[in-house]
Amino acid sequence: MKKDFRGFIQVYTGDGKGKTTAAVGLAVRALGAGLKVAFLQFFKPDTSSEVFILKQFEPKLLYKNFGGQKLIKGKVSEEIKEDILNGWNFVKELIKGGNYEVVILDEIFYALNWEIISISEFLEALKEKSQNTEVVLTGRKVPREVLEIADLVTEVRKIKHYFDKGVLARKGIEK
Ligand code: ATP
Ligand code: MG
């Protein structure tokens, strides 16, 4: 199957539940097929339950998180920005190198919307990515320019969510 592999750019976006869990599902499927997967999270600590399982697949799976430090008064600190930029430099090399068939960038869009990563540089890197690598981008508020270059875009739409009734993230279900 690897012979026919050609990597596309996928986007999972929208205001409903299911973006990160879809990415985790894809990671599991790809691992099951013997593909190498990089699961990289932005603006998130590594404390969500799936991370514990994904890490058990190392080194077939590479897990890293960038900018997962706590926001202070809702603000993105210089430390977080620097960490995100380090992450971005890491991603650029990773998707150019083609060593990983699936590279997931979970919750990447804030880095673009808040101009921590330059959108033109981001688009350029995606254009130059290895043919061997499928890139999966998740998050709300996908930039229009990213939609234009994506090969697949799935929008999950909220029809109902218990969060609106005050149910916060639960261990094993949302985190
Ligand atoms: P999941 O990780 O369950 O697949 P997701 O990746 O689609 O969800 P995110 O936008 O990353 O969703 O946000 C997840 C967090 O935001 C959850 O902890 C949840 O409690 C909270 N939340 C609030 N409103 C929503 C919504 N409409 N859809 C999903 N999560 C929501
Ligand atoms: Mg998510």
Side-chain angles (χ1 to χ4, degrees):
M1 88 158 270
K2 267 191 170 176
K3 219 170 48 182
D4 304 328
F5 193 84
R6 174 173 161 219
F8 289 111
I9 299 170
Q10 302 194 22
V11 170
Y12 305 155
T13 192
D15 63 358
K17 175 174 166 69
K19 301 172 290 292
T20 300
T21 45
V24 172
L26 185 74
V28 169
R29 177 178 287 164
L31 287 168
L35 304 181
K36 281 179 81 182
V37 177
F39 199 96
L40 313 175
Q41 296 194 299
F42 294 81
F43 300 107
K44 282 178 160 182
D46 63 349
T47 50
S48 197
S49 308
E50 68 276 13
V51 174
F52 166 72
I53 296 297
L54 290 173
K55 281 182 174 168
Q56 293 181 12
F57 288 95
E58 284 170 342
K60 266 290 202 185
L61 178 125
L62 170 73
Y63 175 85
K64 279 181 185 289
N65 78 314
F66 303 101
Q69 301 90 332
K70 267 219 159 85
L71 301 185
I72 299 165
K73 292 185 187 154
K75 279 193 106 177
V76 177
S77 64
E78 287 306 312
E79 187 198 354
I80 294 179
K81 282 188 193 167
E82 203 176 301
D83 203 23
I84 297 286
L85 272 180
N86 285 339
W88 171 236
N89 286 325
F90 182 80
V91 168
K92 273 194 288 191
E93 292 308 310
L94 200 71
I95 65 178
K96 208 180 349 170
N99 253 327
Y100 286 81
E101 283 96 351
V102 178
V103 173
I104 293 162
L105 309 182
D106 186 33
E107 210 62 87
I108 187 69
F109 300 139
Y110 290 117
L112 297 167
N113 294 331
W114 295 339
E115 296 175 1
I116 301 170
I117 301 171
S118 122
I119 186 91
S120 55
E121 204 185 294
F122 186 78
L123 298 173
E124 198 57 35
L126 284 181
K127 269 189 209 140
E128 287 172 8
K129 78 167 184 61
S130 163
Q131 287 276 344
N132 272 339
T133 299
E134 184 100 358
V135 175
V136 178
L137 310 168
T138 91
R140 295 170 184 219
K141 301 205 167 89
V142 54
R144 178 182 43 80
E145 300 93 320
V146 172
L147 286 183
E148 280 165 13
I149 62 147
D151 301 294
L152 174 148
V153 179
T154 294
E155 181 177 21
V156 281
R157 183 162 66 93
K158 181 187 79 169
I159 293 179
K160 280 185 170 186
H161 198 302
Y162 35 66
F163 184 87
D164 297 332
K165 290 187 185 161
V167 180
L168 300 181
R170 292 163 301 152
K171 196 84 189 152
I173 308 293
E174 277 85 30
K175 66 179 184 184

